Amino acid sequence: MAPLNDLLGLTPVPECAPEAAPGVPLAFVTTGVAPGGHHDVSGLGAGRHLFECLVHPWMRAVVTVRAS
């Protein structure tokens, strides 16, 4: 969300850059999670994956998937 990122001087991770419409990141449209909820992600390949809350851009996580 550009206004919040601009206010805080943050740059969103590239995974959040595609937009469904101006100011509406595609990830928000497809993965919106209610407060206290969770979102299961499947199909992640081995490696490092970056996640960012689009409402609170300072909330970021790195998930490392290891091959089994």
Side-chain angles (χ1 to χ4, degrees), residues 22-66:
V24 181
L26 184 60
F28 184 76
V29 172
T30 60
T31 62
V33 178
H38 71 276
H39 180 74
D40 293 322
V41 177
S42 62
L44 292 178
R48 188 172 172 249
H49 302 273
L50 306 176
F51 292 86
E52 175 180 293
C53 176
L54 299 173
V55 176
H56 307 100
W58 57 89
M59 295 172 61
R60 296 179 176 178
V62 176
V63 175
T64 303
V65 177
R66 295 186 176 96

